[in-house]
Amino acid sequence: MCGPGDGRFDGEAASLDEELWVRGLDYVGGWRDAKDTSEELLHALRAAGLDTGDLRTRADAAADGSGVVRLAVPVEAARELAMLVRVASARLREAG
């Protein structure tokens, strides 16, 4: 699989030809689940107030057929996302 840092992650291209395929595994089902989940993730980030214009997600399937969502985030957006996660987790701890 390709991913961030290997020079081939563009948010769109699939790496299906670079995998070892195992007969009987449902790679399409895993990919479909990842595709749906990547959209869900972007909607949740927008709802939390994060500008998702520069974020890129890519649905993929792992070697075992399970879905994988890859997220490419510019540094500033990553800092903002980290802050949102810290604030949300602090609020959850306070709530009990």
Side-chain angles (χ1 to χ4, degrees):
M1 301 242 149
C2 62
D6 67 5
R8 299 177 305 181
F9 186 76
D10 64 7
E12 298 295 329
S15 59
L16 301 178
D17 293 332
E18 299 172 15
E19 284 298 309
L20 174 65
W21 291 82
V22 177
R23 186 181 308 261
L25 288 181
D26 182 15
Y27 294 99
V28 173
W31 175 85
R32 190 175 299 121
D33 187 33
K35 180 73 171 153
D36 294 343
T37 303
S38 69
E39 292 298 318
E40 183 180 341
L41 175 61
L42 286 175
H43 288 295
L45 293 172
R46 278 186 212 110
L50 190 67
D51 178 9
T52 58
D54 290 333
L55 276 65
R56 299 289 175 256
T57 60
R58 187 183 76 205
D60 217 334
D64 66 356
S66 62
V68 176
V69 175
R70 302 196 185 278
L71 176 65
V73 184
V75 171
E76 285 304 315
R79 286 186 181 115
E80 189 176 349
L81 179 57
M83 182 204 54
L84 286 170
V85 171
R86 282 192 297 272
V87 168
S89 61
R91 288 181 181 167
L92 286 172
R93 280 192 303 273
E94 289 173 3

